[in-house]
Amino acid sequence: MKITEIRNKLIEKELKVTPQRIAILEAIIKLHNHPTAENIIDYIRNNHPNIATATVYKVLDALASNELIKKVKTERDVMRYDAVIENHHHLYCSESDRIEDYTDNELNELLEKYFETKGIPDFKIEDIKLQIIGKFTKTKK
Amino acid sequence: MKITEIRNKLIEKELKVTPQRIAILEAIIKLHNHPTAENIIDYIRNNHPNIATATVYKVLDALASNELIKKVKTERDVMRYDAVIENHHHLYCSESDRIEDYTDNELNELLEKYFETKGIPDFKIEDIKLQIIGKFTKTKK
DNA sequence: TTTTCAAAAGAGAATAATTCTCATATAATA
DNA sequence: TATTATATGAGAATTATTCTCTTTTGAAAA
């Protein structure tokens, strides 16, 4: 992902383009395994030693509320961030902190069809996310 | 749920029966909408003004690791607790903190069948939980 | 019933992730 | 380039949760 692309994403959302925002968004894209705020801070401090912690959190909030990234919550403790915005699910390792994205349009259609006919009483569905818990049988590439 | 039942649950898990544990488990069952630790503390302090905060957290951990309650993580911030242990999904309100349980065995079977034939490469599924995000069309009874 | 002792609880300090405050700096627009 | 709303920096503040250490207690055994 080129910096120009990141810049355009920000412009599309009418967010001011700042070096901090570019650095943070770039970091989340590069650090694919759903980094924590701390991972991001560590990463960007290499090239941008002066970005304040509070700025990182503020930028993460801004990016998330403009749907440029997603917040991902784990059973464990801290918030994690995901650059992938297209609809997808998550694979959680039951033994470690590893999280992977899982995209499956066939499944999405199946669920959509299922709830279309069945529905949930007194509830209007907007989005469905699966948390698939289990074990990875290969280590990360 | 009678106190004797709660007591038996603890005994089954070989946990010592203490007034604190009974009070906390009872509180989670009564406060059904997935209380936070704070909700629980507020609730039990009425009848048991001397239960320490640390004790509540310790008891919650003990109950959760013995599968008498579940920890529920929200997109927002704090940990919440659920007395329902049978397999179920969650309905999240996109506008408030409300969370409800959603049990649907037909859906569970559908998912099981789907993944049985399809599978996920390099991943052994242990459990699947749906986070269904949307809006409640009725206020809570 | 009393004794025993591992396990649990109490108290409050400690920790750590996140947020707040507010002065300063900077992007975007005219 | 001047203007202005918006973003950033710095560090203090907040808050949920955990830790430490002492005291208490549940329940098994005598």
Side-chain angles (χ1 to χ4, degrees), chain A residues 23-35:
Chain A
I24 291 166
L25 193 40
E26 206 185 357
I28 300 169
I29 293 163
K30 290 226 173 111
L31 296 169
H32 14 64
N33 206 163
H34 305 81

Side-chain angles (χ1 to χ4, degrees), chain B residues 2-18:
Chain B
K2 290 179 218 78
I3 292 197
T4 333
E5 287 180 60
I6 292 176
R7 188 182 285 280
N8 286 337
K9 281 171 183 285
L10 291 170
I11 293 169
E12 272 169 38
K13 299 292 182 176
E14 300 185 326
L15 290 171
K16 279 193 188 172
V17 177
T18 69

Side-chain angles (χ1 to χ4, degrees), chain A residues 27 29 37 43 58 62 76 82 111-112:
Chain A
I29 293 163
Y43 183 88
K58 278 183 278 198
R76 295 172 223 269
D82 189 352
L111 289 170
E112 199 174 314

Side-chain angles (χ1 to χ4, degrees), chain B residues 3 6-7 10 15-29 31 37 40-64 68-69:
Chain B
I3 292 197
I6 292 176
R7 188 182 285 280
L10 291 170
L15 290 171
K16 279 193 188 172
V17 177
T18 69
Q20 292 85 347
R21 284 175 174 174
I22 292 172
I24 291 166
L25 195 39
E26 206 185 356
I28 300 168
I29 293 164
L31 297 169
I40 295 163
I41 291 168
D42 287 350
Y43 182 88
I44 60 175
R45 287 265 163 85
N46 290 330
N47 294 319
H48 303 81
N50 298 320
I51 296 182
T53 305
T55 299
V56 175
Y57 282 100
K58 276 183 277 195
V59 169
L60 290 172
D61 277 357
L63 297 178
L68 289 173
I69 62 172

Side-chain angles (χ1 to χ4, degrees), chain B:
Chain B
M1 169 105 34
K2 290 179 218 78
I3 292 197
T4 333
E5 287 180 60
I6 292 176
R7 188 182 285 280
N8 286 337
K9 281 171 183 285
L10 291 170
I11 293 169
E12 272 169 38
K13 299 292 182 176
E14 300 185 326
L15 290 171
K16 279 193 188 172
V17 177
T18 69
Q20 292 85 347
R21 284 175 174 174
I22 292 172
I24 291 166
L25 195 39
E26 206 185 356
I28 300 168
I29 293 164
K30 291 227 172 111
L31 297 169
H32 13 65
N33 207 163
H34 305 79
T36 62
E38 204 190 355
N39 298 148
I40 295 163
I41 291 168
D42 287 350
Y43 182 88
I44 60 175
R45 287 265 163 85
N46 290 330
N47 294 319
H48 303 81
N50 298 320
I51 296 182
T53 305
T55 299
V56 175
Y57 282 100
K58 276 183 277 195
V59 169
L60 290 172
D61 277 357
L63 297 178
S65 52
N66 284 280
E67 296 178 312
L68 289 173
I69 62 172
K70 287 227 176 192
K71 292 189 171 192
V72 181
K73 204 70 176 192
T74 67
E75 285 306 299
R76 296 172 224 270
D77 219 1
V78 296
M79 192 69 76
R80 292 170 67 169
Y81 300 88
D82 188 352
V84 180
I85 278 302
E86 77 194 53
N87 193 53
H88 67 278
H89 308 287
H90 284 122
L91 306 177
Y92 290 81
C93 178
S94 58
E95 295 179 320
S96 74
D97 282 340
R98 187 166 166 197
I99 301 173
E100 298 274 340
D101 290 336
Y102 176 71
T103 306
D104 183 341
N105 288 319
E106 192 186 343
L107 174 65
N108 293 341
E109 277 166 36
L110 179 72
L111 289 170
E112 200 175 316
K113 212 170 286 169
Y114 178 80
F115 282 111
E116 200 170 276
T117 51
K118 181 160 186 170
I120 298 176
D122 308 327
F123 194 79
K124 193 173 161 299
I125 299 173
E126 293 169 354
D127 192 19
I128 296 178
K129 278 188 270 178
L130 265 72
Q131 302 182 300
I132 305 171
I133 299 106
K135 285 191 185 65
F136 291 96
T137 54
K138 280 189 183 171
T139 51
K140 201 165 156 53
K141 20 35 229 223

Side-chain angles (χ1 to χ4, degrees), chain A residues 31-71:
Chain A
L31 296 169
H32 14 64
N33 206 163
H34 305 81
T36 62
E38 203 191 355
N39 298 149
I40 296 163
I41 291 168
D42 287 351
Y43 183 88
I44 61 174
R45 287 266 164 84
N46 290 331
N47 295 319
H48 304 80
N50 298 320
I51 297 182
T53 304
T55 300
V56 175
Y57 282 100
K58 278 183 278 198
V59 169
L60 290 172
D61 277 356
L63 297 177
S65 52
N66 285 281
E67 296 177 311
L68 289 173
I69 61 172
K70 288 228 172 189
K71 291 189 172 192

